[in-house]
Amino acid sequence: MRIIGMISGTSFDAVEALLADLELDGDRLVCDLVEHRSVPYPASVRHEISAMLPPSPTTIEQVCRLDVAIGQFFGEVAKELADEHGGVDAICSHGQTLYHWVEGAAARGTLQLGEPAWIAERTGAAIISDVRNRDIAAGGHGAPLASLLDVLLLGASPTAACGSLNLGGIANVTVLGPGREPLAFDIGPSNALIDAAVEMLTDGAQGFDRDGAWAARGRADAALVESLLDDPYFALPAPKSTGKEYFNLGYVTKRLKGREISAEDLLASLTVTTAESVAAAIRPFHVTELIVAGGGTRNLTLMAELQARLPGVKMRRTDELGVPEAGKEALIFAIIGFLTLHGLPATVPSCTGAARSSVLGSVTPGRAPLAALLAPARTGQARSPQAPTRLVVRSPLRSA
Ligand SMILES: Nc1ncnc2c1ncn2[C@@H]1O[C@H](COP(=O)(O)OP(=O)(O)O)[C@@H](O)[C@H]1O
Ligand SMILES: [Mg+2]
């Protein structure tokens, strides 16, 4: 099946779209990665999202307008990518998270915008959307959904303990090892606090600290770092999830208490806070290897601070496994969409905290009947497809 996976993450910097051919072969999910692209949001949409995110108040009218604007933009991105490759069967769209509702250790709900009808109308493909809520309804966090890809790619129980770390707006990790159930959780902020500070310092002219250059010129303020790390979220046991409702500019200004600090020192402090919180979350698992993805891998100061706190841990980008680091999340949604259309579950309960593994999402039919999308069973007899236990990246892609 030819499918596109799409997401714009909590950094709402760009829509990541990955086109892949997926097929089941016994217990293997075989994938040929065809193309990944990052398409930045138009400034107007980015501005609207930024203006609506908590703690800003918003209205139902704004929510409705943004739902349409994001759906239309996802539709454009998907249409262009699909057309350049002769069309696709299906598209799984995560959309844009506007609110992830967490109370203490439990997730209660989550809201992603990007009305799928616009994507279906523009492309004619079947759309799988709203992929997180079913897991929450089953008692899970609806996150980190990346745990499925990590388990399929690295094996549920590898011979040596390893981790798969995603450094998006929020950092999440999956930990795998011999004799233990896979575990995954949102660690806390990755780029969220750094981006928020840069936006404030530049009056919105810049959205992130390119290459970590700003932080590299400053010195972390130990007392500020300590107060930034002093938060009950970090001590909560997994599974747990969080978002920018929690880790945003307000989180920083509350701890600054109005005191003066240079831009360089503030960014150095936020970068060290991020590296320390990520390292502290991973240390107890004694991993020997960490597979990393996400835009944070391009922040050289963050990566150096992280490596310094995890000596002896070998860090590799997902690119080495054939999955471009910026396209990893889009691949997850391509896989989820594929599994949903086959009626197969796509969550790892020990990772999301759900009572069971669920078939995810809502389906918006495209022009072709849904049944026509499913490849006939290889034997020619109607056979129920089997949930895959391994992912084989037959045709890899690397970051551009
Ligand atoms: N060259 C770079 N230098 C430093 N940080 C970067 C760079 N490129 C991307 N980033 C960071 O990565 C973020 C986007 O990462 P991404 O993985 O897309 O996160 P999300 O999934 O939250 O959208 C940007 O907001 C920025 O903080
Ligand atoms: Mg992004």
Side-chain angles (χ1 to χ4, degrees):
M1 180 183 296
R2 179 152 278 201
I3 186 161
I4 293 176
M6 307 180 83
I7 176 171
S8 168
T10 49
S11 305
F12 58 96
D13 53 323
V15 175
E16 310 296 337
L18 186 138
L19 188 148
D21 291 318
L22 298 177
E23 66 182 44
L24 286 168
D25 180 11
D27 71 342
R28 303 186 323 156
L29 177 57
V30 181
C31 82
D32 294 311
L33 304 182
V34 180
E35 187 180 339
H36 161 252
R37 61 177 64 163
S38 297
V39 188
Y41 268 131
S44 58
V45 177
R46 204 182 138 75
H47 180 78
E48 264 182 77
I49 296 170
S50 168
M52 280 175 62
L53 282 179
S56 303
T58 188
T59 65
I60 287 295
E61 178 186 347
Q62 283 175 303
V63 172
C64 178
R65 285 173 182 265
L66 188 60
D67 192 29
V68 170
I70 293 174
Q72 289 175 336
F73 186 64
F74 271 62
E76 279 313 310
V77 172
K79 169 81 176 153
E80 260 188 41
L81 181 56
D83 281 359
E84 286 174 32
H85 295 280
V88 295
D89 302 305
I91 296 164
C92 179
S93 168
H94 171 274
Q96 177 72 55
T97 296
L98 267 286
Y99 199 81
H100 189 66
W101 177 20
V102 176
E103 282 178 7
R108 304 281 184 205
T110 191
L111 179 67
Q112 284 76 39
L113 297 188
E115 170 53 50
W118 291 97
I119 314 174
E121 185 62 22
R122 190 77 183 96
T123 61
I127 314 299
I128 303 92
S129 61
D130 190 19
V131 289
R132 294 193 190 270
N133 270 301
R134 185 61 183 271
D135 184 72
I136 293 178
H141 277 264
L145 296 181
S147 48
L148 172 78
L149 175 56
D150 295 329
V151 166
L152 288 176
L153 206 52
L154 303 170
S157 188
T159 48
C162 66
S164 178
L165 175 68
N166 192 67
L167 296 171
I170 299 295
N172 64 62
V173 69
T174 304
V175 182
L176 304 158
R180 64 163 310 136
E181 280 210 291
L183 189 71
F185 56 99
D186 282 348
I187 293 170
S190 170
N191 307 305
L193 303 182
I194 299 169
D195 288 4
V198 169
E199 236 183 286
M200 176 199 59
L201 292 166
T202 64
D203 273 333
Q206 286 174 48
F208 63 96
D209 181 13
R210 185 171 294 280
D211 304 336
W214 218 343
R217 291 196 299 272
R219 277 184 56 166
D221 177 312
L224 178 59
V225 171
E226 195 183 322
S227 72
L228 286 160
L229 289 170
D230 182 16
D231 188 275
Y233 181 79
F234 295 117
L236 270 181
K240 59 179 176 176
S241 63
T242 187
K244 280 190 162 178
E245 317 63 37
Y246 199 80
F247 291 107
N248 54 28
L249 187 60
Y251 185 93
V252 179
T253 52
K254 206 168 92 187
R255 284 155 175 91
L256 273 173
K257 296 185 189 132
R259 88 185 159 86
E260 295 276 313
I261 182 167
S262 71
E264 289 79 7
D265 290 357
L266 175 59
L267 285 167
S269 304
L270 296 176
T271 304
V272 162
T273 299
T274 302
E276 183 53 42
S277 63
V278 171
I282 290 173
R283 234 176 253 129
F285 300 105
H286 305 289
V287 302
T288 54
E289 188 175 61
L290 206 48
I291 313 290
V292 284
T297 59
R298 283 163 259 156
N299 183 326
L300 305 180
T301 310
L302 175 61
M303 292 309 288
E305 294 288 351
L306 186 58
Q307 182 71 76
R309 285 167 176 76
L310 293 172
V313 176
K314 186 172 175 214
M315 294 207 206
R316 297 201 288 154
R317 295 205 322 173
T318 52
D319 293 64
E320 291 186 34
L321 305 176
V323 179
E325 58 84 4
K328 182 191 169 192
E329 293 205 305
L331 174 60
I332 294 160
F333 296 105
I335 291 171
I336 288 173
F338 176 85
L339 294 177
T340 296
L341 290 175
H342 286 80
L344 293 170
T347 51
V348 183
S350 63
C351 292
T352 65
R356 72 191 71 82
S357 184
S358 299
V359 181
L360 297 177
S362 305
V363 179
T364 304
R367 289 188 197 116
L370 287 173
L373 301 178
L374 303 178
R378 292 178 154 250
T379 57
Q381 292 169 358
R383 216 165 27 117
S384 310
Q386 189 184 339
T389 58
R390 278 186 299 154
L391 177 76
V392 177
V393 182
R394 189 166 54 191
S395 315
L397 270 179
R398 297 197 189 286
S399 294

